[in-house]
Amino acid sequence: AYDLSLGLVGSEMCIRDRRKATRRVSQLYDTVLAPCGLKVSQHSILVHIARAGTPSMTDLARAMVLDRSALAHNLKPLERDGYVSMARDERDGRSRRVALTDAGRAKLSESKRLWKDAQQRFEAAYGAERAAALRHSLADIFSDEFALAFSRG
């Protein structure tokens, strides 16, 4: 397909549309999460830390498919607000580990209730079957296996 208005071919439109969809869903979820004071990105970081325990910055960035500088930027407000703590790794002094504080665990619990509401709204608007298929497709795309296959051409 070719979009004459923008001069884009199908794959370029796919990237453009994926970015627009990502921004839209983030806006919608941010609105639902607003009462707890977190954005989608911050909620996601807290969830990843809770799952991993005390991950290193490198491991957390890898799990979130982020570069370390983007992760560090996103962690600053969470650390400032007392939701996460950072400490040097006892085994590798060059590395830092991230942990949830008690306030972070409480904030995560509060945000999970709102997140569940956002998920239910998404499924109601998009359809449960389509939402499940989308989650499956997205999991494939952000997998290491997909990245490897893509890099091979």
Side-chain angles (χ1 to χ4, degrees):
Y2 188 77
D3 184 335
L4 294 174
S5 66
L6 299 174
L8 299 176
V9 294
S11 62
E12 292 168 321
M13 289 189 325
C14 178
I15 294 298
R16 179 199 66 193
D17 293 346
R18 185 204 50 85
R19 288 180 182 271
K20 286 169 65 174
T22 298
R23 285 191 299 271
R24 172 67 73 204
V25 171
S26 291
Q27 290 167 351
L28 295 170
Y29 276 58
D30 281 347
T31 299
V32 175
L33 288 174
C36 76
L38 292 180
K39 297 217 173 269
V40 169
S41 57
Q42 295 169 319
H43 170 81
S44 181
I45 289 170
L46 296 181
V47 167
H48 276 83
I49 295 169
R51 286 180 184 157
T54 54
S56 69
M57 289 283 289
T58 300
D59 290 342
L60 182 58
R62 187 176 300 123
M64 296 190 69
V65 192
L66 286 173
D67 62 61
R68 283 178 46 114
S69 63
L71 176 61
H73 175 78
N74 285 301
L75 278 170
K76 284 180 185 177
L78 294 171
E79 185 177 27
R80 176 199 67 219
D81 294 343
Y83 302 139
V84 300
S85 63
M86 307 240 265
R88 290 215 180 277
D89 187 323
E90 293 177 8
R91 289 172 277 161
D92 179 1
R94 300 167 299 168
S95 182
R96 294 186 307 160
R97 295 205 165 264
V98 186
L100 288 181
T101 62
D102 288 342
R105 282 186 282 282
K107 183 58 67 173
L108 178 58
S109 178
E110 178 186 357
S111 70
K112 279 184 173 181
R113 288 188 296 277
L114 296 169
W115 185 266
K116 184 177 179 180
D117 180 41
Q119 290 289 88
Q120 289 171 342
R121 291 181 190 199
F122 183 88
E123 288 201 7
Y126 195 65
E129 193 173 307
R130 289 174 67 200
L134 178 61
R135 281 191 299 274
H136 185 270
S137 293
L138 292 172
D140 286 343
I141 292 169
F142 68 71
S143 72
D144 291 339
E145 292 81 12
F146 179 85
L148 182 60
F150 182 91
S151 68
R152 290 182 179 154

